């Protein structure tokens, strides 16, 4: 007789996570020298999950660079242990202080390029970017000869976690509309942080010259890519709520994100 018991439900606070099945890339694409750069600050619980998910992908050429900003919760020490667990595949950049997302990415991307990466991915450490999309991002980059492929929330097929409330959805949508209006960038998700770059594209962008320190870094990178003629492709992803911890977005970061597009446009106009 079939049981009448109902399956347990997720607690109201626990997000239901969507992890797509990774596509299988053909050789030699699957062996491409891809390095994933992951900035961290107080991500002690999330980082081991993310790194082990990355290492389980059928991408033998995949490496990871963790850039830790001296996290007080021990994230840096956990990163060092992961480097021992995956020798030659995980490396760590330790910075002495929290200096902003943009500076962390520049440090990690610089290390990746110095170590011979042909392709460089950006991912958040909080598990909001499902690892299963990474082979698709890389495959799209290789198939389209793009300079960068963006995992987009705002192209057809893209979506946001149901955990996102109306306020966050409106703020994110407004931010994208504002930036696109100011800078005239033909990108649907101009604030996106999940993407794969071709090494040659990053070299054209002049990483040492990047000025943004916070989330405006994503906007500045996309704007530089657009102005320097790099092909930009977007594919849809489902954006998750962070697994554990709180967002690092604060007032200073939000102010920079609002002012940076105006400064970028002014700087570009002055070059003409």
């Amino acid at each position: 007789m079939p049981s009448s018991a109902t399956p347990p439900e997720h607690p109201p606070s626990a997000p239901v996570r969507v992890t797509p099945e990774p596509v299988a890339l053909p050789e030699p694409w699957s062996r491409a020298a891809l390095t994933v750069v992951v900035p961290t600050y107080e991500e002690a619980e999330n980082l081991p999950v993310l790194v082990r998910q990355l290492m389980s992908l059928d991408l033998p050429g995949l490496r990871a660079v963790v850039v830790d900003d001296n996290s007080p919760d021990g994230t840096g020490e956990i990163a060092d242990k992961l480097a021992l667990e995956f020798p030659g595949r995980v490396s760590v950049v330790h910075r002495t202080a929290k200096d902003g997302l943009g500076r962390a990415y520049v440090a990690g991307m610089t290390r990746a390029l110095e170590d011979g990466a042909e392709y460089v991915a950006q991912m958040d450490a909080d598990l909001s970017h499902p690892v299963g999309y990474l082979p698709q991002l890389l495959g799209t980059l290789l198939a389209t000869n793009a300079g960068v492929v963006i995992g987009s929330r705002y192209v057809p097929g893209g979506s946001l976690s149901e955990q996102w409330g109306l306020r966050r959805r409106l703020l994110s949508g407004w931010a994208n509309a504002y930036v696109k209006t100011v800078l005239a960038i033909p990108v649907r998700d101009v604030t996106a942080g999940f993407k794969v770059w071709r090494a040659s594209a990053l070299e054209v962008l002049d990483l040492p010259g990047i000025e943004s320190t916070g989330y405006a870094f994503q906007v500045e990178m996309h704007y530089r890519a657009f102005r320097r003629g790099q092909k930009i492709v977007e594919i849809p992803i489902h954006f998750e709520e962070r697994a554990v911890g709180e967002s690092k977005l604060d007032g200073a970061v939000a102010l920079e994100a609002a002012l940076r597009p105006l400064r970028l446009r002014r700087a570009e106009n002055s070059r003409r």
Side-chain angles (χ1 to χ4, degrees):
M1 184 173 178
S3 172
S4 60
T6 57
E9 296 182 354
H10 291 271
S13 59
V16 179
R17 312 197 71 77
V18 176
T19 303
E21 188 69 23
V23 298
L25 296 181
E27 292 193 17
W29 289 7
S30 62
R31 297 185 176 276
L34 170 67
T35 297
V36 182
V37 177
V38 183
T40 59
Y41 186 77
E42 296 192 341
E43 297 289 359
E45 293 185 63
N46 293 324
L47 182 63
V49 177
L50 174 64
V51 169
R52 292 184 180 118
Q53 287 180 354
L54 287 170
M55 294 299 110
S56 70
L57 291 173
D58 189 16
L59 298 172
L62 185 145
R63 305 289 183 267
V65 175
V66 179
V67 185
D68 185 66
D69 280 4
N70 197 25
S71 297
D73 69 346
T75 301
E77 290 80 1
I78 291 172
D80 288 335
K81 292 178 181 178
L82 290 166
L84 293 175
E85 182 179 344
F86 301 101
R89 299 195 69 191
V90 177
S91 58
V92 187
V93 176
H94 291 282
R95 303 203 306 159
T96 58
K98 187 180 180 183
D99 190 31
L101 182 73
R103 307 319 312 159
Y105 263 127
V106 168
M109 289 174 163
T110 300
R111 167 68 69 84
L113 295 175
E114 289 174 348
D115 290 347
E118 296 176 333
Y119 310 97
V120 179
Q122 294 178 232
M123 289 189 74
D124 290 347
D126 60 11
L127 305 179
S128 60
H129 298 148
V131 168
Y133 288 111
L134 195 58
Q136 186 179 355
L137 287 166
L138 176 61
T140 302
L141 185 88
L142 294 168
T144 62
N145 200 32
V148 59
V149 174
I150 300 169
S152 177
R153 300 162 290 183
Y154 299 123
V155 294
S159 58
L160 289 165
S161 169
E162 294 180 357
Q163 299 289 313
W164 273 45
L166 179 61
R167 179 178 175 276
R168 289 180 70 186
R169 290 173 183 270
L170 291 175
L171 179 61
S172 178
W174 175 86
N176 269 276
Y178 166 74
V179 171
K180 287 188 291 184
T181 299
V182 172
L183 298 180
I185 305 176
V187 174
R188 292 283 191 94
D189 196 347
V190 74
T191 60
F194 187 19
K195 66 201 83 168
V196 174
W197 295 88
R198 197 175 291 272
S200 58
L202 290 177
E203 290 164 356
V204 168
L205 300 193
D206 178 29
L207 287 175
I210 296 290
E211 298 178 357
S212 303
T213 58
Y215 287 89
F217 169 81
Q218 312 294 4
V219 173
E220 184 169 356
M221 290 286 283
H222 293 150
Y223 187 58
R224 287 187 176 220
F226 170 59
R227 297 298 303 183
R228 287 159 175 74
Q230 295 300 309
K231 183 177 182 179
I232 302 173
V233 174
E234 295 180 84
I235 65 170
I237 66 162
H238 176 75
F239 184 87
E240 290 283 10
E241 177 62 281
R242 72 164 26 252
V244 178
E246 298 180 355
S247 171
K248 311 302 191 298
L249 183 64
D250 59 22
V253 172
L255 180 61
E256 184 201 26
L259 295 178
R260 180 60 61 183
L262 296 172
R263 292 171 179 167
L264 290 173
R265 187 178 66 177
R266 188 180 305 118
E268 190 64 36
N269 290 338
S270 69
R271 295 190 186 103
R272 294 176 182 174

